[in-house]
Amino acid sequence: MTAPPNSLWAATAPPPPPTAPLQESLRTDVVVIGAGVTGLSTAIHLAERGIGCVVLEAEAAGFGGSGRNSGHIIPTLGAGDPDALVARLGAERGERMVAFLRDSADLVFELIRRYQIECEAVQNGWAMPAHRPSRLKDIERRYEEWTRRQARARLLDAAETEALLGTRTYHGALMLPSGGHVNPLALAHGLAHAAVGLGVRLYTGAPALSLDRGADGGWRVRTPSGEVIADKLVVATNAYTGALVPKLARSLVRIINYQVSTHPLPAGERESVLPSDVSSSDTRRDLRPFRKDRAGRLVTGATLALPIAMDRRIRPWIERRIGQVFPQISDRRLEYVWNGRIAMTPNRLPRVHEIGPGAITAIAYNGRGMAIGMAMGAALADWAAGTPADQLPLPKLEIEPLPLASALGRWAQVALLWYRRLDTRD
Ligand SMILES: Cc1cc2nc3c(=O)[nH]c(=O)nc-3n(C[C@H](O)[C@H](O)[C@H](O)COP(=O)(O)OP(=O)(O)OC[C@H]3O[C@@H](n4cnc5c(N)ncnc54)[C@H](O)[C@@H]3O)c2cc1C
């Protein structure tokens, strides 16, 4: 794993709490592996219930996707609209998952307020603008499906969308007011502070090397210089899952996604780009996400189809895209460029797996893990307190390793060429 590169978030997030590697043998109720938003939210919700918790993080809090993403807080999945989820999972499980998604962004902002986390949180909504007139029927359908389930939602026409986003590119939009954006690394650091403040023992530079079940039914997790014995185990490693649970790693398709920011936009331009300060990702399959940070930088991202010389090719590629959507930005040069791994699945749905008796993981957020991962933290704490795994909001499935999983990641990126064709044809 490489260190988080020169990211905007690393340059602007307040520091995490001081932590160190594990140097002893500990006993606790629940051991959590991974200090991203899923693991830290799990730890907070466990501590709030009075359940003892140790978190082991191989690198640093927010090292994985949680500190590298674009910070969009989105209460939906990229694929899997409400009716489709109900058709796939059945009425009870499908509606449970839909309600969970609907409420996930509110849970994030509520947790931020509860622990007064300084992370540039803005809950002005998430917009999904239609990149072609033919996609208006999709957002109208989504609007109908979500409002039927009591979600707060608005449908905007082209003029309202232009006023909201500061671009004429789009033809209308679905707007979900519970969404928004944050500085994701600042959020991860803030969650770490909150967890430690509640008595969670968080160890960093503490990779879990092996998992064993002891004769007493507990889990023994070894790190290079210490170990934890716990009644229950939560693995929260998502796209950064390694050899610890090899079958799990092989069940994911991992793609590299780039994030970038401009320099702070000058006054005038700053107000005209995303004037309502919402978060936005459009209806393209190869979607174009946009948001601003507090200093007025435009933050966006992309995955390159051909996984060669990506560091060199990403700048001109994204600068051109920014110009297509926001031609009013005069200086499109990028101040920060960084990347991270996204865990995808062929059906593009996240899930939970029981890794063994008393051991669980929530995984494969398909690029939407900020709200869903944090909300899963609350659900995983419920599980540790006794809720059966098949009552959790995400479907419980067997782990199914994919043939040639690592090559599939490269193929998934190349498949973007096809998606772009479809986006143009829509
Ligand atoms: C570039 C990019 C942009 C994205 N944009 C968005 C977005 O705007 N909105 C959104 O909702 N989602 C987005 N996502 C997805 C989102 O970031 C993830 O779904 C989410 O952060 C997953 O959180 P997590 O806590 O489950 O995993 P992670 O944050 O990846 O944390 C896993 C942690 O586990 C640790 N770990 C791994 N193995 C071990 C081990 N053996 N022992 C100890 N620790 C270990 C890792 O070091 C890591 O810190 C994006 C992802 C990327 C990469």
Side-chain angles (χ1 to χ4, degrees):
M1 292 183 193
T2 51
N6 175 29
S7 85
L8 167 62
W9 313 130
T12 54
T19 49
L22 177 67
Q23 305 281 8
E24 58 190 310
S25 181
L26 292 177
R27 243 216 114 88
T28 188
D29 298 324
V30 182
V31 57
V32 174
I33 299 176
V37 291
T38 304
L40 292 168
S41 169
T42 304
I44 289 172
H45 286 96
L46 287 169
E48 285 178 344
R49 286 168 171 263
I51 299 175
C53 174
V54 171
V55 180
L56 298 175
E57 164 55 49
E59 306 279 346
F63 172 86
S66 297
R68 299 162 183 255
N69 67 70
S70 29
H72 295 267
I73 304 298
I74 307 174
T76 70
L77 289 165
D81 291 326
D83 285 358
L85 287 176
V86 170
R88 179 186 278 266
L89 302 174
E92 192 191 330
R93 288 197 306 155
E95 293 295 355
R96 190 191 307 142
M97 182 163 169
V98 169
F100 166 79
L101 296 171
R102 179 198 62 206
D103 299 338
S104 58
D106 280 330
L107 180 143
V108 172
F109 289 104
E110 203 281 313
L111 208 60
I112 290 170
R113 282 191 295 274
R114 197 182 326 156
Y115 291 100
Q116 299 179 4
I117 296 175
E118 276 300 321
C119 61
E120 303 184 24
V122 177
Q123 193 177 16
N124 284 358
W126 170 73
M128 183 185 215
H131 74 285
R132 292 270 191 252
S134 61
R135 299 305 294 274
L136 288 171
K137 62 178 184 317
D138 289 336
I139 60 174
E140 284 162 9
R141 178 182 49 74
R142 281 188 186 152
Y143 170 80
E144 190 279 317
E145 291 184 20
W146 280 111
T147 48
R148 197 164 9 105
R149 280 140 177 129
Q150 292 78 47
R152 309 197 296 285
R154 286 167 54 206
L155 258 189
L156 308 180
D157 64 19
E160 290 167 322
T161 304
E162 181 184 342
L164 187 84
L165 301 180
T167 169
R168 292 197 179 140
T169 330
Y170 296 118
H171 304 272
L174 170 68
M175 162 73 172
L176 300 180
S178 71
H181 55 83
V182 297
N183 174 330
L185 185 61
L187 175 57
H189 288 176
L191 292 172
H193 278 286
V196 169
L198 289 167
V200 171
R201 288 170 287 176
L202 164 62
Y203 297 92
T204 53
L209 300 177
S210 66
L211 310 173
D212 302 297
R213 258 171 80 70
D216 62 352
W219 287 91
R220 177 186 299 268
V221 183
R222 274 196 317 107
T223 74
S225 50
E227 65 176 21
V228 182
I229 297 169
D231 298 334
K232 293 199 168 164
L233 164 71
V234 173
V235 174
T237 50
N238 199 44
Y240 290 77
T241 301
L244 187 64
V245 190
K247 245 169 81 173
L248 190 61
R250 291 201 305 275
S251 73
L252 303 171
V253 178
R254 281 179 267 207
I255 61 169
I256 303 287
N257 182 261
Y258 276 83
Q259 294 296 308
V260 307
S261 88
T262 63
H263 293 265
L265 302 176
E269 287 182 15
R270 185 180 302 191
E271 291 74 34
S272 81
V273 170
L274 299 172
S276 48
D277 205 7
V278 294
S279 132
S280 168
S281 26
D282 67 18
T283 48
R284 287 179 171 85
R285 294 161 187 84
D286 178 23
L287 59 82
R288 300 190 182 186
F290 292 106
R291 54 157 295 183
K292 289 187 294 191
D293 79 341
R294 185 179 283 166
R297 299 175 179 91
L298 183 69
V299 181
T300 182
T303 292
L304 290 172
L306 298 178
I308 42 171
M310 294 192 290
D311 285 346
R312 185 169 48 75
R313 289 165 48 230
I314 193 71
R315 282 180 183 267
W317 174 264
I318 291 208
E319 284 167 6
R320 198 166 48 243
R321 278 193 171 184
I322 291 173
Q324 288 163 359
V325 180
F326 296 108
Q328 67 268 46
I329 298 181
S330 49
D331 180 1
R332 293 168 205 145
R333 283 174 305 170
L334 303 177
E335 186 177 4
Y336 294 98
V337 177
W338 68 99
N339 65 35
R341 282 184 224 153
I342 293 183
M344 310 285 294
T345 46
N347 69 6
R348 297 182 65 198
L349 294 184
R351 61 231 183 164
V352 297
H353 298 296
E354 273 179 324
I355 295 171
I360 200 165
T361 185
I363 202 154
Y365 301 120
N366 285 270
R368 290 277 167 94
M370 287 302 280
I372 299 172
M374 278 184 64
M376 268 318 286
L380 292 170
D382 290 342
W383 167 82
T387 301
D390 56 11
Q391 299 291 311
L392 293 178
L394 298 181
K396 189 193 100 170
L397 300 173
E398 295 302 315
I399 305 176
E400 283 187 20
L402 298 163
L404 303 172
S406 60
L408 278 176
R410 283 191 284 283
W411 276 109
Q413 289 188 219
V414 173
L416 272 178
L417 294 171
W418 173 244
Y419 284 161
R420 284 182 198 140
R421 254 180 84 108
L422 294 179
D423 288 338
T424 312
R425 200 197 57 185
D426 276 334

